[in-house]
Amino acid sequence: MEHFGDLLAEQVQQKKSAVCVGIDPRWKSLPESIRAGVDSGDRSAVAKATECYCREVIDAVASVTPVVKPQAAFFELLGPAGMLALAGVIKHATKAGVLVLLDGKRGDIGSTAEGYADAYLGRESAWGCDALTVNPYLGDDTLEPFVHGAVRHGAGIFVLVKTSNPGSGFLQDQVLSGQNQGQTVFERMADLVQSHAAATQGTSGYGAVGAVVGATFPQQLAALRQRMPNAWILIPGFGAQGGTAADVAHGFDAQGRGAIVNSSRGVIFAYQSEQYKHLDWQSAVAKSAHDMAQQLGEATPG
């Protein structure tokens, strides 16, 4: 059975890129050529057009991204037809040789968490995803079924630790008392993630359990890289949210490994920017992803 931590390491090395392309298909932002003639009130028609667009995005970036991250919400809002489109996008990415990290931020207790894990994790699961984002803030017991599911299915999970949104500090930055006095909530969560990452590490030194740490907090990112030496780090917040290549460089280890950097709007809607407006939309997407990979390579140690 494949080991997710090792498989991701192989993909990053093979493509010489840590780019993770977020697939967030906001209908009104899709190219006119995709939306032309489609009734925006017809969810089934919108879902079909959205799937077509996402497939073409994947084709444009497949050579430079080891992993894509479909955002479940943008498919769910289209109802059943949208979920069929999501299934088609996942299958297309897999056939294109790209790992699929579903951004679903699932989290629940007991058998419900087991259900989520078995539904999404692994190529043989109902959804066929290689990895899933997980929200652990219901408690450590809610994380365990996802860890076990990841190991059982040769898949991975990325656990929310320090997120990129401005309000993350409301809970995540709170300082604990008692036995863990002086630690923040996100540091306590990072220690939990590291324990699972170390227990599931493969030959690459990285485990099946990773962390989500935002690019918008570079000092915390640097500290958390040291705190979680066996955890892959998914870094959102690059580009449109303000994170730079210099910021995200803090998330890599000394050999330039151990992190993937997500960009959604900055890549998939690149054709809307002045920099790429001279290109057709798919070429703009491809060029943006290649440019991002080059920026990360120049800023990353090793």
Side-chain angles (χ1 to χ4, degrees), residues 66-240:
V67 57
V68 294
K69 183 174 71 65
Q71 170 51 256
F74 292 104
F75 296 91
E76 291 172 357
L77 63 83
L78 296 173
M83 302 311 286
L84 289 174
L86 175 60
V89 169
I90 292 169
K91 289 180 180 178
H92 187 78
T94 299
K95 289 180 180 178
V98 179
L99 298 176
V100 178
L101 163 57
L102 183 67
D103 196 351
K105 298 182 178 68
R106 297 300 191 248
D108 216 314
I109 61 173
S111 60
T112 309
E114 291 176 7
Y116 279 134
D118 289 341
Y120 290 107
L121 294 175
R123 293 282 175 92
E124 302 304 317
S125 69
W127 285 96
C129 299
D130 298 291
L132 175 70
T133 56
V134 175
N135 185 344
Y137 284 102
L138 273 72
D140 58 351
D141 60 327
T142 68
L143 186 56
E144 290 178 4
F146 289 100
V147 175
H148 295 155
V151 171
R152 188 166 60 252
H153 297 297
I157 58 173
F158 286 86
V159 181
L160 303 185
V161 173
K162 177 58 179 171
T163 55
S164 60
N165 57 302
S168 65
F170 175 78
L171 172 63
Q172 297 165 21
D173 291 2
Q174 294 304 300
V175 178
L176 301 172
S177 59
Q179 183 179 357
N180 303 111
Q181 185 171 359
Q183 279 190 338
T184 62
V185 170
F186 74 78
E187 288 171 336
R188 176 68 169 151
M189 190 60 68
D191 291 345
L192 177 62
V193 169
Q194 168 56 22
S195 68
H196 287 301
T200 61
Q201 67 178 295
T203 58
S204 64
Y206 284 93
V209 180
V212 180
V213 182
T216 47
F217 301 102
Q219 291 182 334
Q220 288 94 332
L221 176 59
L224 289 169
R225 172 71 284 165
Q226 298 302 312
R227 203 174 190 110
M228 299 181 292
N230 301 113
W232 276 99
I233 299 180
L234 167 65
I235 309 175
F238 179 86

